[in-house]
Short mmCIF file of all heavy atoms in Angstrom, two decimals:
data_model
loop_
_atom_site.label_atom_id
_atom_site.label_comp_id
_atom_site.label_asym_id
_atom_site.label_seq_id
_atom_site.Cartn_x
_atom_site.Cartn_y
_atom_site.Cartn_z
N PRO A 1 5.84 24.58 61.88
CA PRO A 1 6.80 25.39 61.12
C PRO A 1 8.26 25.19 61.54
O PRO A 1 9.16 25.42 60.75
CB PRO A 1 6.36 26.83 61.36
CG PRO A 1 5.41 26.80 62.49
CD PRO A 1 4.90 25.39 62.63
N SER A 2 8.49 24.71 62.73
CA SER A 2 9.88 24.49 63.14
C SER A 2 10.44 23.21 62.53
O SER A 2 11.65 23.01 62.50
CB SER A 2 9.99 24.42 64.66
OG SER A 2 9.30 23.29 65.17
N GLY A 3 9.55 22.36 62.01
CA GLY A 3 10.01 21.08 61.48
C GLY A 3 10.15 21.00 59.98
O GLY A 3 10.86 20.17 59.45
N HIS A 4 9.46 21.88 59.23
CA HIS A 4 9.50 21.73 57.78
C HIS A 4 10.07 22.93 57.04
O HIS A 4 10.23 22.89 55.83
CB HIS A 4 8.10 21.41 57.23
CG HIS A 4 7.09 22.47 57.47
ND1 HIS A 4 7.07 23.65 56.78
CD2 HIS A 4 6.05 22.54 58.32
CE1 HIS A 4 6.07 24.39 57.19
NE2 HIS A 4 5.43 23.74 58.13
N HIS A 5 10.36 23.97 57.74
CA HIS A 5 11.00 25.14 57.14
C HIS A 5 10.25 25.65 55.91
O HIS A 5 10.85 26.02 54.91
CB HIS A 5 12.46 24.84 56.79
CG HIS A 5 13.22 24.28 57.94
ND1 HIS A 5 13.54 25.03 59.05
CD2 HIS A 5 13.68 23.03 58.17
CE1 HIS A 5 14.18 24.27 59.91
NE2 HIS A 5 14.29 23.06 59.42
N GLY A 6 8.92 25.62 55.99
CA GLY A 6 8.10 26.16 54.91
C GLY A 6 7.71 25.18 53.83
O GLY A 6 6.93 25.51 52.96
N ASP A 7 8.26 23.97 53.86
CA ASP A 7 7.96 23.00 52.81
C ASP A 7 6.94 21.98 53.28
O ASP A 7 7.22 21.19 54.18
CB ASP A 7 9.23 22.26 52.38
CG ASP A 7 10.25 23.19 51.75
OD1 ASP A 7 9.82 24.16 51.11
OD2 ASP A 7 11.46 22.94 51.90
N VAL A 8 5.76 22.02 52.69
CA VAL A 8 4.72 21.02 52.94
C VAL A 8 4.35 20.48 51.57
O VAL A 8 3.97 21.24 50.67
CB VAL A 8 3.50 21.64 53.64
CG1 VAL A 8 2.40 20.62 53.82
CG2 VAL A 8 3.90 22.22 54.99
N ASP A 9 4.48 19.17 51.38
CA ASP A 9 4.28 18.64 50.04
C ASP A 9 2.79 18.52 49.67
O ASP A 9 1.91 18.52 50.53
CB ASP A 9 5.02 17.32 49.84
CG ASP A 9 4.46 16.14 50.62
OD1 ASP A 9 3.30 16.20 51.06
OD2 ASP A 9 5.17 15.15 50.76
N ASN A 10 2.55 18.45 48.38
CA ASN A 10 1.19 18.41 47.86
C ASN A 10 0.40 17.21 48.36
O ASN A 10 -0.80 17.31 48.60
CB ASN A 10 1.20 18.43 46.33
CG ASN A 10 1.61 19.78 45.78
OD1 ASN A 10 1.63 20.78 46.49
ND2 ASN A 10 1.94 19.82 44.50
N GLU A 11 1.05 16.07 48.52
CA GLU A 11 0.36 14.87 49.00
C GLU A 11 -0.18 15.08 50.41
O GLU A 11 -1.31 14.70 50.72
CB GLU A 11 1.30 13.66 48.95
CG GLU A 11 0.62 12.36 49.33
CD GLU A 11 -0.56 12.00 48.43
OE1 GLU A 11 -0.51 12.29 47.22
OE2 GLU A 11 -1.54 11.43 48.95
N LEU A 12 0.62 15.70 51.25
CA LEU A 12 0.17 16.00 52.61
C LEU A 12 -1.02 16.95 52.58
O LEU A 12 -2.01 16.75 53.29
CB LEU A 12 1.29 16.61 53.44
CG LEU A 12 0.82 17.07 54.82
CD1 LEU A 12 0.81 15.92 55.80
CD2 LEU A 12 1.63 18.22 55.33
N ILE A 13 -0.94 17.97 51.75
CA ILE A 13 -2.04 18.94 51.64
C ILE A 13 -3.31 18.25 51.19
O ILE A 13 -4.38 18.45 51.78
CB ILE A 13 -1.65 20.09 50.68
CG1 ILE A 13 -0.55 20.94 51.32
CG2 ILE A 13 -2.87 20.94 50.33
CD1 ILE A 13 0.06 21.97 50.40
N ARG A 14 -3.21 17.41 50.18
CA ARG A 14 -4.40 16.69 49.70
C ARG A 14 -4.97 15.77 50.77
O ARG A 14 -6.19 15.69 50.96
CB ARG A 14 -4.07 15.91 48.44
CG ARG A 14 -3.86 16.79 47.23
CD ARG A 14 -3.63 15.96 45.96
NE ARG A 14 -3.36 16.81 44.84
CZ ARG A 14 -2.14 17.06 44.36
NH1 ARG A 14 -1.08 16.50 44.90
NH2 ARG A 14 -1.97 17.88 43.34
N SER A 15 -4.10 15.07 51.47
CA SER A 15 -4.54 14.16 52.54
C SER A 15 -5.23 14.93 53.66
O SER A 15 -6.26 14.49 54.19
CB SER A 15 -3.36 13.39 53.12
OG SER A 15 -2.79 12.55 52.17
N LEU A 16 -4.68 16.07 54.01
CA LEU A 16 -5.26 16.88 55.08
C LEU A 16 -6.63 17.43 54.67
O LEU A 16 -7.57 17.42 55.46
CB LEU A 16 -4.31 18.00 55.48
CG LEU A 16 -4.77 18.91 56.63
CD1 LEU A 16 -5.16 18.11 57.87
CD2 LEU A 16 -3.67 19.92 56.95
N ILE A 17 -6.75 17.89 53.43
CA ILE A 17 -8.04 18.38 52.94
C ILE A 17 -9.08 17.27 53.01
O ILE A 17 -10.21 17.47 53.49
CB ILE A 17 -7.92 18.94 51.51
CG1 ILE A 17 -7.14 20.26 51.51
CG2 ILE A 17 -9.30 19.14 50.88
CD1 ILE A 17 -6.75 20.77 50.14
N GLU A 18 -8.72 16.09 52.56
CA GLU A 18 -9.64 14.95 52.59
C GLU A 18 -10.03 14.61 54.04
O GLU A 18 -11.20 14.40 54.34
CB GLU A 18 -9.00 13.74 51.92
CG GLU A 18 -9.90 12.54 51.87
CD GLU A 18 -9.24 11.36 51.17
OE1 GLU A 18 -8.32 11.55 50.36
OE2 GLU A 18 -9.65 10.23 51.47
N TRP A 19 -9.04 14.55 54.91
CA TRP A 19 -9.28 14.20 56.31
C TRP A 19 -10.18 15.23 56.98
O TRP A 19 -11.14 14.87 57.68
CB TRP A 19 -7.94 14.09 57.02
CG TRP A 19 -8.01 13.61 58.44
CD1 TRP A 19 -8.20 12.33 58.86
CD2 TRP A 19 -7.85 14.40 59.61
NE1 TRP A 19 -8.17 12.28 60.23
CE2 TRP A 19 -7.95 13.55 60.72
CE3 TRP A 19 -7.61 15.76 59.83
CZ2 TRP A 19 -7.84 14.00 62.03
CZ3 TRP A 19 -7.50 16.20 61.13
CH2 TRP A 19 -7.62 15.33 62.22
N LEU A 20 -9.90 16.52 56.78
CA LEU A 20 -10.72 17.57 57.38
C LEU A 20 -12.16 17.50 56.89
O LEU A 20 -13.09 17.79 57.65
CB LEU A 20 -10.14 18.95 57.09
CG LEU A 20 -8.92 19.36 57.90
CD1 LEU A 20 -8.35 20.66 57.36
CD2 LEU A 20 -9.26 19.48 59.38
N GLY A 21 -12.35 17.11 55.63
CA GLY A 21 -13.69 17.02 55.08
C GLY A 21 -14.55 15.96 55.73
O GLY A 21 -15.78 15.98 55.61
N GLU A 22 -13.93 15.06 56.46
CA GLU A 22 -14.66 13.97 57.12
C GLU A 22 -14.71 14.13 58.63
O GLU A 22 -15.04 13.19 59.35
CB GLU A 22 -13.98 12.64 56.78
CG GLU A 22 -13.97 12.35 55.29
CD GLU A 22 -13.11 11.15 54.93
OE1 GLU A 22 -12.45 10.57 55.82
OE2 GLU A 22 -13.09 10.80 53.74
N THR A 23 -14.40 15.32 59.12
CA THR A 23 -14.29 15.51 60.56
C THR A 23 -15.47 16.26 61.14
O THR A 23 -16.32 16.78 60.42
CB THR A 23 -13.00 16.29 60.91
OG1 THR A 23 -13.08 17.59 60.31
CG2 THR A 23 -11.77 15.55 60.45
N ARG A 24 -15.46 16.33 62.46
CA ARG A 24 -16.42 17.13 63.21
C ARG A 24 -15.62 17.89 64.26
O ARG A 24 -14.50 17.51 64.58
CB ARG A 24 -17.47 16.25 63.85
CG ARG A 24 -16.90 15.32 64.92
CD ARG A 24 -17.99 14.66 65.74
NE ARG A 24 -17.43 13.87 66.81
CZ ARG A 24 -16.98 14.35 67.97
NH1 ARG A 24 -17.01 15.63 68.20
NH2 ARG A 24 -16.49 13.56 68.89
N PRO A 25 -16.21 18.93 64.85
CA PRO A 25 -15.48 19.65 65.88
C PRO A 25 -15.43 18.85 67.18
O PRO A 25 -16.35 18.09 67.49
CB PRO A 25 -16.30 20.94 66.06
CG PRO A 25 -17.69 20.55 65.68
CD PRO A 25 -17.53 19.52 64.59
N SER A 26 -14.37 19.02 67.92
CA SER A 26 -14.30 18.41 69.25
C SER A 26 -15.21 19.19 70.20
O SER A 26 -15.55 20.34 69.94
CB SER A 26 -12.87 18.44 69.77
OG SER A 26 -12.46 19.78 69.99
#
């Protein structure tokens, strides 16, 4: 939050959703 001041773009959100869907817990 200190780096984007509330702005997270849709492409990042989509990429993160996809990435999380392929992960496992540490």
Side-chain angles (χ1 to χ4, degrees):
S2 65
H4 62 74
H5 308 291
D7 296 328
V8 176
D9 70 19
N10 288 346
E11 184 59 35
L12 174 83
I13 291 171
R14 288 184 183 100
S15 295
L16 182 52
I17 289 170
E18 182 179 336
W19 186 76
L20 284 172
E22 299 171 357
T23 63
R24 65 168 185 80
S26 66

